[in-house]
């Protein structure tokens, strides 16, 4: 099994606005670091993510001006290391300046079969399940990701 993650937030200003330039200018570099990180498997390509974020009838239709990432990792420790120990962590310290207050850093993780490429719709379904029912063994958020990463636990086959 591999670990899928979907994270998103609503930008305080439209893409291209100079007030979020620090975020926008860092996205490609952070994504490149992620793709070279140990344990990285796959990330939804930028053009597909852009299309999903701008699809007025898609999974993010009720969330205009969204910035999001959908990726797959070998294990929780790899994802957690990337999020907390690379440029990603330093860049996200600027989140209060770039995102709508209280609407950033939404993260959901779930187990997928090796070779799977999840969709944004699946990510939103898992996020809604997490919001409505709390963490489970198969769908969980940041606190559980940290615990799994620290313990080195993996899903049961």
């Amino acid at each position: 099994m591999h670990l899928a993650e979907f994270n998103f937030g609503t930008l305080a200003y439209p893409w291209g606005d100079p007030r979020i330039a620090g975020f926008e200018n860092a996205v490609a570099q952070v994504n490149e670091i992620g793709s070279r990180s140990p344990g990285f498997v796959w990330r939804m390509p930028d053009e597909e993510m852009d299309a999903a974020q701008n699809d007025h009838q898609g999974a993010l239709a009720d969330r205009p001006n969204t910035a999001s990432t959908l990726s797959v990792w070998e294990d929780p420790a790899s994802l957690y290391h990337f999020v907390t120990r690379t440029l990603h962590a330093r860049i996200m310290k600027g989140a209060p300046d770039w995102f709508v207050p209280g609407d950033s850093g939404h993260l959901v993780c779930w187990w997928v079969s090796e070779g799977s490429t999840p969709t944004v719709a699946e990510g939103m379904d898992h996020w809604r399940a997490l919001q409505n029912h709390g963490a489970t063994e198969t769908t969980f958020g940041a606190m559980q990701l940290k615990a799994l990463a620290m313990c080195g636990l993996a899903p049961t086959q």
Side-chain angles (χ1 to χ4, degrees):
M1 299 292 285
H2 281 159
L3 184 67
E5 73 78 30
F6 179 59
N7 71 81
F8 61 94
T10 302
L11 292 168
Y13 308 99
W15 288 99
D17 188 296
R19 293 171 286 187
I20 62 165
F23 173 76
E24 252 184 283
N25 294 337
V27 169
Q29 185 178 9
V30 170
N31 287 342
E32 178 62 27
I33 290 168
S35 68
R36 292 190 325 246
S37 292
F40 173 83
V41 175
W42 173 88
R43 180 179 61 82
M44 179 173 273
D46 294 338
E47 52 281 348
E48 288 180 41
M49 185 55 76
D50 288 344
Q53 290 172 172
N54 293 304
D55 182 353
H56 298 292
Q57 296 179 348
L60 296 170
D62 62 338
R63 303 193 62 81
N65 218 31
T66 296
S68 56
T69 304
L70 176 63
S71 61
V72 176
W73 295 78
E74 289 178 358
D75 54 69
S78 298
L79 172 59
Y80 189 74
H81 181 270
F82 165 68
V83 169
T84 63
R85 303 281 188 249
T86 69
L87 177 63
H88 181 278
R90 285 185 298 191
I91 293 300
M92 291 314 295
K93 287 181 181 176
D97 297 330
W98 303 321
F99 289 89
V100 171
D103 196 14
S104 68
H106 300 301
L107 171 73
V108 64
C109 299
W110 68 100
W111 300 109
V112 295
S113 300
E114 288 186 29
S116 295
T117 52
T119 66
V120 171
E122 285 177 81
M124 286 304 291
D125 287 345
H126 281 280
W127 183 75
R128 287 183 188 105
L130 179 63
Q131 298 308 299
N132 293 330
H133 308 292
T136 68
E137 288 183 18
T138 57
T139 301
F140 47 90
M143 289 186 347
Q144 295 81 18
L145 173 65
K146 180 180 180 180
L148 289 171
M150 296 299 155
C151 296
L153 299 176
T156 57
Q157 304 295 332

